[in-house]
Amino acid sequence: MVRYHINDGVAVIALDNPPVNALGISLRLQLFEEFGHALNNPEVVAIVITGAGRGFSGGGDINEFDTPALAQAPTLMTVFNQIERSHKPVVAAVHGNALGGGLELALACHARVCHTKTLVGLPEVHLGLVPGAGGTQRLPRLVGAELALNLVVQGKIVPASSLAESGLFDHLTEGSPVEDAIALAHQLSKDVRDGQPLKRTGERSVSLPNAQAFFAFARATVQVQTRGATAPQACVDCLEYSVTLPFQQALEKEFSTFWRLQGTHEFNALRHAFLAEKKCLEIENIDSAALPKEINDVVVVGAGTMGSGIAMSLANAGLQVTLVEREQSALDRGLTSISSTYESSLKKGRLSVDQIAKRKSLIKGSTNFDAVASADAVIEAVFEDINVKREVFNAVGKFARPGTLLATNTSMLDVDEIAQSCSEIENFLGLHFFSPAHVMKLLEIVKGEKTSSQSLATAMSLARRLGKTAVVSGVCEGFIGNRMLQPYLMQAGLLLDEGALPHQVDAAIEKWGFAMGPFRVSDMAGNDLGAKIRHDRLGKNPNLVYSRTFDAIVEMGRVGQKCGRGWYDYVPGQRAPQVSQEVTDAVLAESQRLGLQRRKISDEEIVDRLLLALVNEGAKILEEGIAQRASDIDVVYLAGYGFPRWRGGPMFSADQRGLKDVVATMQRFARAPIYQNAQVFWRPANLLVSLADKNLTFSAFQKSELS
């Protein structure tokens, strides 16, 4: 776990706990012991701490959080205090990454030498925590309160080069940090012998005029930006302690805050989300010997909004892209849209001129399928019509080389039916990007009946290269995300029939934590698109019940943001949607047509009906094997549908609530107006009932024998 050697009087202690040198109890014990040996060895004049392998340290071991091991002696606080109080100079030699407890370790040293490309940060807020080993106290003493606030409250991970002038590092290097750290350690040792004191971080003070006003403003800003999450506010509190309290007292305050937050639902949910995103990379029933194919050249068929977004996503990752359209005018529109998007990024300072030039150079256009002959992968992104998509793959098959990865970007259609147009059906799968594709993190990888292990491995490898959060789904209408979205939208509409208004529904679920409510989402996606999906679903199952207000809105020409009128009115130049009297009148008219006496509907009921509609459909998806595990469903909704991360996802939130209560609440909702066919809609999934009866959870399902 720890390597130790002496180099010309300097003890070099290397953390060696792959893959990220996590500071678990075993490593802490060895570090504490080896550091003590260095202190007691008269031949050692100084100490360098570094990381073996690819990085310095990724911080504490997340598997120890909320367990006795985290508090087992020596704690991180004990180790870091030992380092800071050392009478011999201690220099951190940092490379790869220094995150969380890893950065806190470096902060406790008397000096820091860092490679310019090292990634550094205190991302604990993303787990619902504050840094718990001195991060909120030592960082502001080195870089100032304002920069520390930005880094800690937002959990930013940044390259060391961006902090070159901050005071965090004593020296940045393009070479070996260890070599430079040893040289600096010798210099500090000489300084100590000459009577100069060591620069202990905790002995520094934080200068901040008008501190009270600064932190009051910070709290107000954070409250608006974080939608009810508690950890960001706690980070502000701890940073204020660095200004207002003595160092040791402030450390104790930080530590107690860390432990308090570990007992919250927020921490449990965020830890679940973090681990779920790692777990979803594991594909069940895949041949472990299957190696991904190399993808460098991709053809994207369709230059509309989705196709253009996919092309940019690929080019942003350094892949060569050919965008194919039948008509030159359509291709020109797509290429113009790409240029406009990049120019907008330039104006906002997100990309440089050189970066844009590089990315645009990777995208070319064509009005025929010749480019398919040299492509490693073909991604179809044409109109959502199964016949059109099958025509595309018939044409692609005339040019594609054997082994080319073939993917459809359909959001609702049957991937296996589309695959029938391909001669090499084992190379075919779904790649469901979310719009805008160059921005949204989620990518549903849809495994067809005949999709090979190698094709799945290739798709996962491509997703990682694109920086996407990839989740494998089986084939069904809407896959995981959009299939669950339909009952959610159905309930949103039925709430309008009974007494709610669109802005009340949206406000209730947004207050609960969603990024956007269902009606704002519908306006953004296009209400005409929703109408087509409803039409197709009702054609297959006429017993489904949607509020007729959905169609009334479309018949009024209120198709959404793109025309300035949807469930809301949109004023040019203003981002906030405006309540529409015309829509309100339409909602009231539908209630009257149904003969319903409108009633006051609480925010609690709105949230419950929307959430439990998601949960019940998610249970069916899990039961059918469409999703590999419940946590995969959570990842889909966290990454693609604006579900609040600090609530963990729909399945996790149901587990936290208790599945018995979920079933009981659904049974209560089944007593709804007769026209809604609520007994069918709110019938709990068999898996949900079975788990509730056995006092189990969705997260336990993958380990149980219920399947």
Side-chain angles (χ1 to χ4, degrees):
M1 289 261 177
V2 171
R3 301 179 193 171
Y4 178 97
H5 74 276
I6 298 175
N7 184 322
D8 190 25
V10 174
V12 179
I13 301 175
L15 313 176
D16 189 8
N17 183 22
V20 298
N21 296 328
L23 301 171
I25 180 57
S26 297
L27 188 146
R28 297 199 305 272
L29 277 166
Q30 291 188 28
L31 176 58
F32 190 76
E33 290 174 1
E34 296 296 357
F35 195 88
H37 292 157
L39 288 179
N40 295 323
N41 187 342
E43 296 180 6
V44 172
V45 299
I47 303 165
V48 166
I49 300 177
T50 189
R54 294 178 296 175
F56 183 70
S57 173
D61 186 344
I62 193 171
N63 294 308
E64 287 187 357
F65 284 21
D66 202 27
T67 71
L70 190 63
Q72 186 175 335
T75 65
L76 286 179
M77 192 74 76
T78 300
V79 174
F80 297 169
N81 285 342
Q82 179 198 40
I83 291 169
E84 188 169 57
R85 293 168 184 167
S86 167
H87 62 280
K88 297 180 181 181
V90 186
V91 180
V94 186
H95 74 289
N97 59 65
L99 305 175
L103 180 57
E104 289 175 305
L105 168 57
L107 295 173
C109 296
H110 304 130
R112 288 148 294 282
V113 175
C114 188
H115 193 279
T116 55
K117 293 183 180 178
T118 301
L119 296 177
V120 299
L122 295 171
E124 286 87 349
V125 70
H126 298 309
L127 288 174
L129 300 171
V130 299
T136 64
Q137 303 310 307
R138 291 188 175 100
L139 184 63
R141 283 172 164 80
L142 290 170
V143 306
E146 185 172 356
L147 177 55
L149 182 80
N150 289 333
L151 292 172
V152 173
V153 172
Q154 298 179 47
K156 286 184 177 180
I157 296 175
V158 299
S161 57
S162 69
L163 300 172
E165 305 300 323
S166 69
L168 180 56
F169 305 110
D170 295 80
H171 179 59
L172 287 174
T173 178
E174 295 282 352
S176 167
V178 174
E179 292 179 8
D180 288 1
I182 290 172
L184 179 57
H186 276 298
Q187 180 60 52
L188 293 178
S189 176
K190 178 180 181 300
D191 292 343
V192 170
R193 292 195 301 272
D194 291 342
Q196 296 184 31
L198 287 170
K199 295 179 180 178
R200 294 182 172 87
T201 309
E203 294 178 354
R204 302 185 184 199
S205 61
V206 185
S207 176
L208 183 64
N210 300 317
Q212 185 176 5
F214 173 83
F215 285 108
F217 178 78
R219 281 192 187 85
T221 303
V222 168
Q223 184 175 11
V224 171
Q225 293 176 342
T226 56
R227 292 181 177 272
T230 58
Q233 290 285 354
C235 286
V236 177
D237 292 341
C238 289
L239 287 161
E240 186 171 22
Y241 301 148
S242 73
V243 179
T244 60
L245 296 177
F247 180 66
Q248 286 301 324
Q249 188 178 346
L251 274 182
E252 292 170 5
K253 284 274 197 179
E254 178 197 77
F255 190 62
S256 65
T257 302
F258 175 86
W259 278 101
R260 173 176 60 81
L261 291 175
Q262 273 203 123
T264 64
H265 287 299
E266 185 176 318
F267 164 70
N268 289 327
L270 289 167
R271 178 174 60 176
H272 167 78
F274 177 83
L275 295 174
E277 287 175 344
K278 293 185 176 297
K279 190 71 175 177
C280 71
L281 300 176
E282 301 173 13
I283 305 176
E284 296 178 348
N285 303 319
I286 189 173
D287 183 354
S288 59
L291 298 177
K293 300 174 186 176
E294 186 174 350
I295 303 292
N296 292 306
D297 192 320
V298 183
V299 165
V300 177
V301 182
T305 299
M306 181 58 76
S308 298
I310 294 172
M312 284 187 284
S313 184
L314 295 163
N316 293 348
L319 283 81
Q320 184 70 52
V321 186
T322 302
L323 196 57
V324 175
E325 264 289 358
R326 288 182 176 178
E327 302 293 334
Q328 186 66 46
S329 58
L331 179 61
D332 289 342
R333 284 194 297 272
L335 294 173
T336 299
S337 174
I338 289 170
S339 293
S340 297
T341 301
Y342 279 138
E343 291 303 317
S344 177
S345 295
L346 176 64
K347 291 177 181 177
K348 294 175 181 176
R350 295 173 181 167
L351 292 174
S352 68
V353 172
D354 289 343
Q355 286 174 317
I356 290 174
K358 172 64 175 175
R359 296 177 188 195
K360 288 175 68 174
S361 72
L362 291 170
I363 303 174
K364 60 183 179 181
S366 177
T367 54
N368 59 61
F369 286 96
D370 291 354
V372 169
S374 60
D376 303 310
V378 177
I379 302 174
E380 165 272 310
V382 300
F383 185 67
E384 192 76 346
D385 181 289
I386 197 162
N387 293 321
V388 174
K389 290 178 183 291
R390 294 188 66 172
E391 286 176 11
V392 167
F393 284 105
N394 276 324
V396 166
K398 298 174 183 177
F399 295 88
R401 297 175 299 174
T404 302
L405 183 72
L406 304 174
T408 174
N409 179 61
T410 180
S411 59
M412 294 292 289
L413 301 176
D414 190 324
V415 167
D416 285 329
E417 189 173 344
I418 300 172
Q420 297 304 315
S421 300
C422 303
S423 57
E424 293 185 338
I425 197 169
E426 69 277 7
N427 296 325
F428 187 87
L429 46 67
L431 288 179
H432 179 207
F433 289 81
F434 286 72
S435 187
H438 61 291
V439 175
M440 294 292 287
K441 296 288 288 184
L442 180 62
L443 177 62
E444 283 184 316
I445 297 177
V446 186
K447 178 183 181 296
E449 182 182 0
K450 301 294 185 181
T451 302
S452 70
S453 292
Q454 185 177 42
S455 294
L456 272 179
T458 301
M460 290 296 287
S461 176
L462 177 62
R464 285 193 295 272
R465 187 167 177 183
L466 300 183
K468 300 294 186 184
T469 300
V471 177
V472 173
S473 170
V475 176
C476 67
E477 184 183 61
F479 319 125
I480 297 173
N482 282 346
R483 173 172 163 178
M484 290 171 65
L485 187 65
Q486 288 307 307
Y488 171 87
L489 292 174
M490 290 169 73
Q491 279 303 305
L494 297 176
L495 283 162
L496 301 187
D497 291 354
E498 294 178 50
L501 290 171
H503 62 274
Q504 182 197 354
V505 173
D506 283 348
I509 198 69
E510 289 168 12
K511 182 180 179 182
W512 191 81
F514 267 68
M516 295 176 69
F519 297 106
R520 289 181 63 200
V521 168
S522 295
D523 274 357
M524 184 176 68
N527 295 318
D528 49 343
L529 175 61
K532 183 181 185 307
I533 293 171
R534 286 192 304 278
H535 179 269
D536 291 345
R537 295 192 80 223
L538 287 166
K540 297 172 184 175
N541 184 358
N543 293 321
L544 295 175
V545 180
Y546 287 92
S547 170
R548 293 192 185 184
T549 312
F550 280 115
D551 290 328
I553 295 301
V554 175
E555 289 166 5
M556 294 176 189
R558 304 186 68 96
V559 296
Q561 289 184 10
K562 57 190 173 185
C563 75
R565 300 166 66 247
W567 290 100
Y568 298 92
D569 291 329
Y570 298 90
V571 178
Q574 296 182 18
R575 299 184 64 181
Q578 307 294 317
V579 174
S580 166
Q581 185 60 50
E582 186 178 32
V583 170
T584 298
D585 291 343
V587 170
L588 298 178
E590 178 60 13
S591 299
Q592 185 176 22
R593 187 192 71 80
L594 290 166
L596 295 178
Q597 180 67 43
R598 290 178 65 82
R599 62 185 177 86
K600 181 177 176 59
I601 299 180
S602 69
D603 286 357
E604 181 183 12
E605 179 182 344
I606 290 170
V607 170
D608 273 356
R609 284 172 64 171
L610 295 180
L611 289 181
L612 297 190
L614 288 176
V615 169
N616 197 40
E617 197 66 30
K620 295 174 185 177
I621 286 171
L622 190 60
E623 182 180 324
E624 295 167 17
I626 300 300
Q628 296 181 113
R629 53 190 74 89
S631 60
D632 283 6
I633 297 173
D634 288 333
V635 171
V636 167
Y637 264 77
L638 293 171
Y641 291 84
F643 199 99
R645 189 176 180 87
W646 54 276
R647 292 195 184 271
M651 312 311 282
F652 179 83
S653 67
D655 281 346
Q656 294 294 99
R657 177 177 184 157
L659 299 189
K660 283 186 179 294
D661 182 60
V662 168
V663 171
T665 304
M666 289 172 60
Q667 290 170 340
R668 189 173 73 250
F669 288 155
R671 298 190 291 270
I674 295 174
Y675 81 98
Q676 293 183 11
N677 203 9
Q679 291 288 339
V680 173
F681 183 95
W682 287 115
R683 182 180 298 140
N686 293 334
L687 175 62
L688 175 53
V689 172
S690 181
L691 291 171
D693 287 346
K694 293 177 172 64
N695 288 316
L696 293 174
T697 62
F698 288 122
S699 62
F701 171 62
Q702 62 207 49
K703 303 171 186 175
S704 74
E705 297 179 355
L706 293 174
S707 57

